[in-house]
Amino acid sequence: MSKGRIRNNVRTLRFHRSEMTQQELAEKVGVTRQTVIAIEGDKYSPSLEVAFRIAHAFKVPLEEVFQYESSDP
Amino acid sequence: MDLSYQEKSILGSLLAMVLVYGYYFANALRHAGESEFGGGGIGRLIFAVIAIIVIQIVYHIILALDSKPEPKDERDVLIECKAYRNGYFALATGAFLVIGGVIMAVLARDAAPTRIIVTPFLIVNLVLLFMVLAELVKLLTQLFYYRRGLR
């Protein structure tokens, strides 16, 4: 099975929400600020539940926050 | 280097373990000739355990005053799970080595006179050594994943 990569637009979406801070997003979602930093830096792919909570915090569909990039040609 | 509360907590535990058990095993090496695990050996072991607990409590009080403690979230739990897995492998490997070593030493002693003597002191310290190594593997794994990330 080929391994894909999950990208996200969390940083951009925060910027468009009048520069919401990482701490504010972390509190809304129920994770630590360190986890928000790791997600933004593509160092951590959150669980489906946290991914939905992030999308809900920005009031956008899930696909607008996270995109799956397949490594298949 | 910007360290999170969890990373600082792990670093403190790591340092405490290296210092206290480093001192303990350096002492144990000096008494390696003892055949029985007597009062002195037990005393040193109890001292090491109490020292670890005291250092950890004091360090974590200072850490809590310095930076706000953060509750663990799913990423912390996932990293902890991976760390426990690696620690378990280290502990299991150590257990097999001790069991194998004791069997080999007993077989060698029965076959021919040998200088290798399996004493309670040796067995207790070998088991303790692998327990400490397993904990170090766990802590280092956590630090590794906090720095590198889970991709």
Side-chain angles (χ1 to χ4, degrees):
Chain A
M1 194 177 79
S2 61
K3 206 171 176 189
R5 203 176 169 85
I6 295 173
R7 298 266 180 210
N8 71 80
N9 300 317
V10 174
R11 174 75 193 89
T12 314
L13 286 163
R14 274 200 308 112
F15 181 77
H16 290 306
R17 294 292 181 287
S18 38
E19 200 58 56
M20 180 195 287
T21 65
Q22 290 171 329
Q23 186 61 45
E24 284 167 351
L25 177 63
E27 282 167 14
K28 278 189 175 188
V29 174
V31 295
T32 61
R33 186 175 150 260
Q34 297 301 322
T35 294
V36 172
I37 294 169
I39 292 169
E40 285 188 6
D42 281 333
K43 285 185 167 186
Y44 175 61
S45 299
S47 69
L48 199 52
E49 190 184 340
V50 168
F52 270 111
R53 275 195 255 144
I54 292 172
H56 184 74
F58 290 126
K59 295 183 175 61
V60 293
L62 187 66
E63 309 83 61
E64 208 171 303
V65 188
F66 295 98
Q67 297 83 38
Y68 178 71
E69 287 179 4
S70 172
S71 56
D72 289 336
Chain B
M1 191 162 56
D2 185 30
L3 295 173
S4 69
Y5 176 83
Q6 298 292 350
E7 284 173 293
K8 286 177 189 168
S9 168
I10 294 163
L11 265 177
S13 303
L14 192 67
L15 260 160
M17 289 210 68
V18 169
L19 280 174
V20 173
Y21 284 111
Y23 176 76
Y24 171 82
F25 283 114
N27 249 314
L29 265 179
R30 280 208 296 273
H31 297 85
E34 291 175 8
S35 59
E36 292 303 315
F37 191 64
I42 294 171
R44 282 191 296 275
L45 183 58
I46 292 171
F47 175 77
V49 172
I50 292 172
I52 281 277
I53 293 169
V54 171
I55 291 173
Q56 294 260 35
I57 289 172
V58 172
Y59 176 78
H60 280 90
I61 288 171
I62 295 167
L63 184 61
L65 292 172
D66 182 55
S67 46
K68 194 179 157 213
E70 289 175 331
K72 286 180 185 173
D73 65 7
E74 61 169 38
R75 179 169 149 270
D76 298 311
V77 174
L78 187 58
I79 287 175
E80 201 170 44
C81 284
K82 285 175 181 283
Y84 270 119
R85 178 198 59 189
N86 289 356
Y88 168 78
F89 281 130
L91 187 61
T93 306
F96 278 115
L97 285 175
V98 172
I99 293 168
V102 170
I103 292 171
M104 294 292 282
V106 169
L107 290 177
R109 186 193 61 195
D110 290 346
T114 174
R115 287 174 61 197
I116 304 169
I117 306 161
V118 181
T119 62
F121 181 85
L122 182 67
I123 294 173
V124 167
N125 280 296
L126 277 178
V127 170
L128 183 65
L129 175 68
F130 284 113
M131 283 171 71
V132 171
L133 287 177
E135 183 65 17
L136 291 179
V137 167
K138 184 211 152 218
L139 294 170
L140 287 171
T141 303
Q142 280 178 293
L143 280 181
F144 172 77
Y145 281 118
Y146 275 119
R147 285 286 103 191
R148 198 209 68 167
L150 293 161
R151 276 167 286 196

